[in-house]
Amino acid sequence: MRPLDPRLLRYARSIRVFLAAQTLIGLVTTACVIGFAAVLTRIVTGALDGDSLSVLGPWLGALVGVAAVRALTVWASETLSMRAAGRVKAELRGKILDATRKLGPSWLARRGSISVATLSGRGMDALDDYFAKYLPQLILTALVTPILVVVIWWQDWVSGIVVVVTLPLIPFFMALVGWATQSIQRNQWDTLGKLSRGFVDLLGGLATLKIFGRQHRQADRMRTITADYRRATMKVLRVTFLSGFVLELASSLAVAIVAVGIGLRLVEGNMVLSVGLFVLLLAPEVFLPLRNVGTNFHAAAEGVTASEDAFEILDAAAVLPEGAARAVLASADSATPGIAFVEVRAQHEADAPLAHAPLTATVAPGTLTVLSGPSGVGKSSLVGALLGFTDYVGEITRDGASLRGVPAGERDWLAWSPQRPGLTAGTIAENVTLGDDVPDPETLAWALETAAATDLDPARDLGVAGAGLSGGQAQRVGIARALYRQRRRNCAVLILDEPSSALDHATEDVLVQNLRALAATGVSVLVLSHRQAFLSGADARISLTPVSVSAAETIEVDA
Amino acid sequence: MSDTLNPAATATTSPTRTAVTTRDVLRAARPRGKYATGGLLAAIGSALSTVALMACSAYLITRASEMPPIMYLNMAIVGVRAFALGRAFFRYLDRLFSHEAAFRQLETVRVGLLERLLPIAPAGLARSRRGSLLSTLVSDVDEMQNLGLRVIQPLLTALGVSIVAVVGVAFLSPGAALGLALALILTFALSAWAISVVAARAERSLAPQRATLLDALVDYLGALDVLVAYGAEPAARARVDAADRALTNSLVKRASGTGIAAAAIALFTGVAIAIAMISAIPVLQEGGLSGPGLAVLALVPLAVFEVVANVPLALGAWRQVRSSAERIANATDAERVADVPAEVGLTELVPVADADLLTLSNVAIRHPGATEPALRIDALSIGAGESLLIEGPSGAGKTTLAHALVRFIDYSGSIRLQGVELSDLHPDTVRNEIGLCEQVPYLFDEDIRQNLLFAHDTATDRDLEVILDQVGLGDWMRERGGLSARVGERGALVSGGQAQRLALARALLHEFPVIVLDEPTASVEGDLATALIADLVNAARAHGRTVILISHADVAGDLFDRRLRIEAGALVSAR
């Protein structure tokens, strides 16, 4: 671990103000340390020389005064560090989310949304220790230590030599140990991540495990995982603590050598007590910030490792080109109204094999078109291509204009509901009117009715990821959301991915009739489904065939 | 179970089936054993060495300045060196032992929590938002290791060293000892006030704010595609930022509280020394105290307060540990726990002769925590090898029935399996006979093989491939690169239909005599669903097994011996 990762300075600019303020606090702290030692030395030597309390009174007042100033800087440093930590975390979190947005949903699915959430939540919180405990001490080390060394040298060059000789040993051993633990440290963070994923997975699957009578092993499994975690961590800690031991030993022994050296010179009359006492009081303070850096090294390391994970995401996003160039509009004469696919093959991942044969088809305005095909053939990937989330070969046009390069967030003409509705915390009404700053209650009521969801209370509160609704209910809220957007933005295209898979037939029939009615108003409605109700209710049908079956797709158009 | 050989045996181990209290969690988290004791002794040894090093150094140089023969200094010189070594050495041992103890205890906490959750899952768990659950059980359990490391040990060490130092100083000057004691008490009091009033006020809002932030992040990242497509991404992002700001605000307020406590240490160090000097200097001048004695009195408070500086941190850590323990305790819901069948009962099913496979009479089932039953069944009898379809609209109580049959929730009335009342049997025994294929199958973040093997761990790869072929996943599995292909976090890389097929494959592999299928075709495409159900029902019949299929959808064909319907919370005959 580097003391201060330059990428932190680059990615989190707010850190600079913090560094400046901490430097000021460091200077005041140094003055306090020297002042306290000088005043205390004056009091003790004065008392030994026979000064009365009345003579020493002002000095005692000064002692308490210096302590009070020191107290103030301690408080200021604490609050300032946390404020800085908050700013930097917010900045990094924001940048992670920006990067995630840029990298897109399919990258997120591979990376795992929970792991990114953990990194930007708990992972970034680990930076608190880095800012509150580690960095201030690092700055103090850079300020207090050299100034005190100069003062000690100026007062007593022999003690100065002892301090100067011992001091470099500390960063030397720290670097040595740090270099040795770096890879172990890295593994430990991975282990921790694996462990927390395992724990969450275990808790999520409790019911499943019980059904199969496998719950009894899980406690043992958890015990094994946790014991592995303990062993892995202790392996790191043994070495990490060794660096603490070296720091502690070097500083303790240096102070002891200084004390014994001063004692011996005092006894021979080569020194006066005031100098000896002053130097003795300053000596431990030289090592204190360095020792604190060492002590907090471990606490800070977790935050630094987490921030390295964050930097990886940021670096990955940084190499992606900024929004691709806008496609050129095709000439108006050749424009096909609606959506047209020409030899399109959607690719879920950049280097994944193509699952379906090239598709050439149109989704005309005013029709209910049903897209079907075997499970896993890439229907949802095709929709992803239409939405701008998924790479594809071939050409997709809307009213003759190519969709290539149009950012996903700028497809105003499109309303879509995915297979997994992707609901969020909030009321049903908030979910349905997603993306509308001024929700319209009339359209909301219409959307819920058209989605056959009149039984759901719009004011009902949902948990994270729409928790609290059954599969069928969530599905209808997702459909209502797409319908709401379609009507509010007058979208020309409505896409529903498996809208009725969790619905009963009566509800499904209502939905099909409502969608037919909507299509009749001139909207292109594309439904991905295999359900008989949709297949028989469709104006047009497109079937997507696996690549192995045939290169030729079939298009059947009913009257 | 160990006593399956004895047919009438009742399971002797009945895992605790009560809600967890904060006190339970804290008790489980308190490190014990030789590592904990060793760690505490080493910590006190290290702290005392710090104080002794300071006292010895002060004595050494002040005595030296009186220029006595060097032999009078030898003891002090040896002491300085020994305590310098001792401090570092004890500190190393302290950290090694106490971390080992803390991690060992973490093992107990994790496993203990899991053992408490297992018997009551899924019905007895509090309905928490997913993000909060993640936050609670992962980071809060981790937090428990700080109880020993950052709370108990520093407090005991500071207390021990304070007492020894005050007593030691009292030998030199009772007045200085009184001053030191007074300053220490004031420091403890001010720290406690700053930490438990100022910081605590902020701390209380911290946990919900962290959960809110994580919830906002989970929502944002979990629905990113939808948010982008709907142009709602900036609003969701603003929610994350607002949660972030609120959290930072509370963190700063808390830091202000801990800052006051840390400042108190710096201030009272000066005060303690000033009092010591005021009471000791007149005594020195009257000849009642030696010069080195005065130096010791002046310097010892520095070392004592260095040790005491850990007290505010410990008090802060205590608050965090306690609120984490509270949140862990809240993961279980006492009211719901009462509705979870106890993990006791006969471990061997001894069929009554001539009894039907399943007989339900006057059954009422209610949701956990609810007062009114969600489903009533007056009379229903199911024969071995029969295949039964139960239809009904969403929310009619179909899943409730499935959960009662596998003893996730209790029932009133009578459900008999081969003539034996389900509630007399151990739930594990029931679940060995009746298997449930969940509506939302849970897939573990492992490969396909692991997701199947846990249902039947002696199955060969060949067995797994045969089963996958039966559920129509054979080609899919081979295209994905075989059984070692991963299914992704929560089955993210598997479509809804494929997840259902995998779940069906698991149920088939486990060879349950009775299989309850809760909406197995909910996200399976229409043309394949019919074939899939046909495969399943036929295979089950060939093995003489019984299938209860619950669906809102019409299932075509004559696959089923009987069709029943749930309407308005009651079972009625088919149309």
Side-chain angles (χ1 to χ4, degrees):
Chain A
M1 170 178 138
R2 273 173 284 190
L4 185 60
D5 195 323
R7 283 185 296 182
L8 202 56
L9 288 173
R10 194 174 47 183
Y11 281 124
R13 300 192 154 266
S14 44
I15 200 175
R16 291 163 199 223
V17 183
F18 162 74
L19 291 178
Q22 276 294 350
T23 306
L24 189 69
I25 289 176
L27 287 173
V28 178
T29 305
T30 316
C32 285
V33 167
I34 296 172
F36 195 84
V39 173
L40 187 54
T41 305
R42 173 69 186 79
I43 293 170
V44 172
T45 50
L48 293 180
D49 290 344
D51 286 352
S52 69
L53 264 187
S54 53
V55 176
L56 292 172
W59 291 107
L60 286 168
L63 189 76
V64 175
V66 174
V69 175
R70 180 76 197 263
L72 208 63
T73 60
V74 167
W75 176 82
S77 172
E78 286 262 349
T79 40
L80 190 81
S81 303
M82 196 43 80
R83 211 175 279 279
R87 286 234 179 90
V88 174
K89 282 188 313 188
E91 212 178 333
L92 281 180
R93 238 172 226 146
K95 286 195 168 153
I96 293 175
L97 297 187
D98 285 343
T100 306
R101 221 205 113 158
K102 204 172 157 196
L103 291 161
S106 50
W107 174 87
L108 187 60
R110 279 199 306 282
R111 183 69 163 69
S113 67
I114 297 287
S115 109
V116 178
T118 308
L119 171 65
S120 29
R122 191 171 125 65
M124 289 301 102
D125 283 343
L127 279 174
D128 282 348
D129 278 350
Y130 179 76
F131 282 95
K133 295 179 182 164
Y134 177 74
L135 263 193
Q137 296 299 335
L138 194 67
I139 293 167
L140 280 182
T141 307
L143 288 173
V144 178
T145 304
I147 295 176
L148 290 189
V149 167
V150 169
V151 172
I152 289 176
W153 192 287
W154 164 55
Q155 288 286 313
D156 171 32
W157 63 269
V158 183
S159 299
I161 287 178
V162 174
V163 171
V164 166
V165 169
T166 14
L167 258 185
L169 288 179
I170 291 173
F172 174 74
F173 277 111
M174 254 174 84
L176 209 65
V177 174
W179 175 69
T181 48
Q182 202 171 32
S183 65
I184 312 177
Q185 198 83 254
R186 180 83 224 174
N187 288 342
Q188 197 239 347
W189 176 249
D190 291 344
T191 312
L192 180 70
K194 210 163 80 188
L195 179 78
S196 62
R197 278 199 303 278
F199 203 34
V200 172
D201 216 15
L202 204 57
L203 293 171
L206 281 184
T208 308
L209 292 165
K210 283 180 85 166
I211 289 167
F212 290 94
R214 283 293 184 266
Q215 74 270 35
H216 304 294
R217 304 179 165 191
Q218 300 312 315
D220 284 338
R221 208 187 121 209
M222 202 64 236
R223 195 174 280 126
T224 317
I225 296 177
T226 310
D228 288 348
Y229 172 69
R230 166 171 61 85
R231 267 177 231 115
T233 310
M234 284 310 294
K235 210 161 85 185
V236 182
L237 289 185
R238 261 194 288 278
V239 191
T240 311
F241 291 161
L242 207 58
S243 80
F245 176 68
V246 170
L247 297 184
E248 200 99 16
L249 194 65
S251 61
S252 288
L253 280 184
V255 174
I257 293 169
V258 167
V260 171
I262 289 172
L264 292 179
R265 274 174 293 145
L266 280 170
V267 90
E268 285 158 15
N270 295 336
M271 194 183 218
V272 287
L273 180 63
S274 62
V275 172
L277 198 56
F278 181 61
V279 171
L280 180 74
L281 282 170
L282 287 187
E285 299 284 350
V286 177
F287 297 94
L288 191 62
L290 208 54
R291 262 174 54 204
N292 285 337
V293 169
T295 311
N296 294 314
F297 188 80
H298 174 62
E302 196 186 327
V304 170
T305 321
S307 68
E308 277 168 8
D309 278 353
F311 296 149
E312 257 172 45
I313 296 179
L314 299 185
D315 290 343
V319 298
L320 277 189
E322 287 297 332
R326 217 43 85 74
V328 185
L329 277 172
S331 73
D333 319 334
S334 64
T336 319
I339 304 290
F341 297 94
V342 183
E343 292 285 307
V344 172
R345 305 175 81 177
Q347 251 174 319
H348 188 59
E349 286 170 29
D351 43 1
L354 297 160
H356 64 86
L359 176 75
T360 300
T362 54
V363 181
T367 61
L368 170 63
T369 307
V370 172
L371 172 71
S372 56
S375 186
V377 75
K379 297 189 292 292
S380 296
S381 301
L382 196 68
V383 172
L386 203 51
L387 289 162
F389 291 141
T390 311
D391 274 344
Y392 60 93
V393 294
E395 184 68 296
I396 307 178
T397 62
R398 184 182 86 85
D399 295 345
S402 171
L403 293 182
R404 199 173 282 284
V406 179
E410 294 176 21
R411 303 189 178 203
D412 264 348
W413 44 269
L414 184 69
W416 157 73
S417 180
Q419 202 172 348
R420 293 179 192 204
L423 303 182
T424 57
T427 61
I428 288 182
E430 282 164 8
N431 269 287
V432 173
T433 61
L434 184 74
D436 190 349
D437 298 333
V438 196
D440 176 40
E442 247 171 68
T443 314
L444 169 67
W446 169 82
L448 284 171
E449 194 190 328
T450 311
T454 38
D455 55 319
L456 295 175
D457 177 9
R460 185 168 157 192
D461 226 344
L462 305 183
V464 168
L469 290 183
S470 75
Q473 290 170 331
Q475 207 162 39
R476 284 176 292 149
V477 172
I479 298 166
R481 187 177 57 192
L483 288 166
Y484 180 91
R485 176 177 163 94
Q486 189 281 322
R487 173 152 286 198
R488 284 291 275 176
R489 306 211 176 195
N490 206 10
C491 298
V493 181
L494 174 72
I495 303 177
L496 304 178
D497 193 346
E498 305 275 3
S500 63
S501 59
L503 303 185
D504 57 68
H505 283 243
T507 313
E508 187 178 34
D509 287 340
V510 173
L511 183 65
V512 173
Q513 286 319 309
N514 291 347
L515 290 176
R516 281 185 63 83
L518 180 67
T521 64
V523 179
S524 310
V525 180
L526 176 65
V527 174
L528 280 64
S529 181
H530 271 91
R531 303 280 290 229
Q532 198 50 47
F534 271 105
L535 289 172
S536 50
D539 298 313
R541 300 204 297 227
I542 302 172
S543 62
L544 202 57
T545 47
V547 71
S548 50
V549 173
S550 160
E553 74 290 346
T554 48
I555 304 173
E556 309 152 47
V557 179
D558 288 5
Chain B
M1 289 296 135
S2 57
D3 40 14
T4 39
L5 290 176
N6 179 358
T10 297
T12 46
T13 50
S14 71
T16 326
R17 201 182 56 95
T18 52
V20 186
T21 65
T22 309
R23 191 189 282 264
D24 291 335
V25 177
L26 287 172
R27 195 182 303 129
R30 190 165 46 83
R32 16 179 103 66
K34 58 180 180 189
Y35 285 107
T37 316
L40 181 63
L41 290 179
I44 293 179
S46 171
L48 284 178
S49 299
T50 305
V51 178
L53 174 62
M54 187 60 97
C56 261
S57 309
Y59 176 85
L60 170 65
I61 66 166
T62 322
R63 183 80 180 97
S65 72
E66 294 168 355
M67 294 193 256
I70 189 110
M71 53 181 261
Y72 289 107
L73 295 177
N74 278 344
M75 275 293 279
I77 291 173
V78 170
V80 165
R81 286 173 182 159
F83 291 126
L85 280 171
R87 182 171 83 163
F89 178 67
F90 282 128
R91 181 89 183 102
Y92 181 70
L93 286 187
D94 155 28
R95 295 168 93 188
L96 215 55
F97 286 157
S98 47
H99 277 82
E100 180 78 34
F103 287 136
R104 279 173 189 273
Q105 210 54 40
L106 189 61
E107 219 163 291
T108 315
V109 173
R110 252 181 220 280
V111 173
L113 178 70
L114 198 64
E115 275 172 344
R116 278 186 178 253
L117 291 186
L118 273 167
I120 60 172
L125 300 186
R127 282 178 176 275
S128 24
R129 296 176 161 198
R130 196 154 70 90
S132 319
L133 192 73
L134 186 84
S135 149
T136 300
L137 294 173
V138 178
S139 52
D140 285 342
V141 168
D142 281 352
E143 181 71 33
M144 285 300 114
Q145 62 185 286
N146 290 337
L147 179 63
L149 282 179
R150 300 199 176 149
V151 181
I152 297 175
Q153 185 160 308
L155 284 180
L156 288 182
T157 306
L159 194 69
V161 168
S162 296
I163 292 170
V164 171
V166 169
V167 170
V169 167
F171 281 111
L172 291 173
S173 156
L178 202 65
L180 181 60
L182 202 67
L184 283 169
I185 289 168
L186 279 174
T187 307
F188 277 115
L190 194 58
S191 298
W193 171 79
I195 300 294
S196 29
V197 178
V198 181
R201 207 176 293 144
E203 178 89 36
R204 269 191 288 278
S205 42
L206 223 52
Q209 281 166 344
R210 263 189 226 281
T212 308
L213 175 63
L214 193 64
D215 282 353
L217 283 167
V218 167
D219 256 356
Y220 180 90
L221 293 164
L224 186 61
D225 49 355
V226 170
L227 294 170
V228 169
Y230 280 76
E233 186 265 346
R237 188 52 193 281
R239 257 200 306 279
V240 173
D241 292 343
D244 200 333
R245 267 195 305 279
L247 177 64
T248 302
N249 254 337
S250 299
L251 281 171
V252 171
K253 278 190 197 132
R254 187 181 65 173
S256 179
T258 53
I260 291 174
I265 305 278
L267 181 65
F268 284 112
T269 310
V271 172
I273 294 173
I275 295 177
M277 292 299 96
I278 290 170
S279 55
I281 289 172
V283 185
L284 172 85
Q285 280 155 4
E286 287 158 16
L289 182 71
S290 67
L294 183 83
V296 168
L297 289 179
L299 266 56
V300 157
L302 286 173
V304 175
F305 275 87
E306 193 187 319
V307 176
V308 170
N310 290 323
V311 167
L313 300 177
L315 292 174
W318 163 238
R319 285 208 56 81
Q320 293 190 24
V321 165
R322 201 178 48 186
S323 40
S324 284
E326 273 165 21
R327 286 193 295 275
I328 292 172
N330 286 340
T332 57
D333 182 327
E335 281 186 15
R336 296 172 146 262
V337 166
D339 287 330
V340 178
E343 298 264 300
V344 290
L346 302 173
T347 54
E348 177 105 343
L349 174 66
V350 185
V352 173
D354 300 330
D356 263 341
L357 180 72
L358 268 171
T359 321
L360 290 77
S361 54
N362 296 321
V363 174
I365 311 165
R366 55 192 176 87
H367 293 297
T371 47
E372 286 302 304
L375 179 67
R376 290 178 192 280
I377 299 175
D378 292 338
L380 174 64
S381 185
I382 302 166
E386 198 178 358
S387 57
L388 182 71
L389 173 68
I390 300 179
E391 293 172 294
S394 306
K398 300 192 303 291
T399 301
T400 319
L401 171 63
H403 279 192
L405 285 176
V406 295
R407 302 290 283 141
F408 281 172
I409 52 177
D410 230 332
Y411 61 87
S412 64
S414 163
I415 303 179
R416 286 174 181 269
L417 176 66
Q418 297 184 307
V420 183
E421 190 64 38
L422 281 194
S423 53
D424 290 340
L425 290 167
H426 192 280
D428 280 350
T429 310
V430 175
R431 285 193 285 265
N432 211 28
E433 302 292 318
I434 307 177
L436 170 66
C437 201
E438 294 160 287
Q439 188 170 3
V440 183
Y442 195 90
L443 297 180
F444 296 91
D445 188 5
E446 304 274 359
D447 56 15
I448 298 173
R449 184 184 290 107
Q450 291 303 321
N451 267 290
L452 293 174
L453 268 186
F454 83 92
H456 185 80
D457 48 16
T458 55
T460 62
D461 278 6
R462 181 74 203 126
D463 298 338
L464 301 184
E465 282 163 12
V466 167
I467 288 286
L468 286 175
D469 278 328
Q470 281 176 11
V471 297
L473 279 180
D475 291 335
W476 169 80
M477 176 267 297
R478 280 181 280 275
E479 274 163 28
R480 291 288 300 269
L483 290 166
S484 302
R486 296 189 74 82
V487 301
E489 174 193 300
R490 289 178 70 85
L493 305 176
V494 175
S495 79
Q498 288 153 351
Q500 284 288 354
R501 288 155 195 271
L502 277 174
L504 290 179
R506 283 200 298 228
L508 283 180
L509 271 172
H510 197 72
E511 300 184 345
F512 295 108
V514 182
I515 300 180
V516 182
L517 299 157
D518 187 8
E519 309 264 9
T521 57
S523 23
V524 176
E525 301 76 5
D527 48 352
L528 290 175
T530 313
L532 182 62
I533 288 176
D535 282 350
L536 180 69
V537 174
N538 292 334
R541 283 192 148 165
H543 290 86
R545 283 190 251 159
T546 310
V547 180
I548 302 172
L549 192 123
I550 294 174
S551 178
H552 62 250
D554 309 319
V555 177
D558 48 1
L559 285 163
F560 294 95
D561 300 324
R562 257 195 302 165
R563 302 166 85 99
L564 297 170
R565 202 169 165 74
I566 291 174
E567 263 166 21
L571 188 72
V572 295
S573 295
R575 295 159 287 179

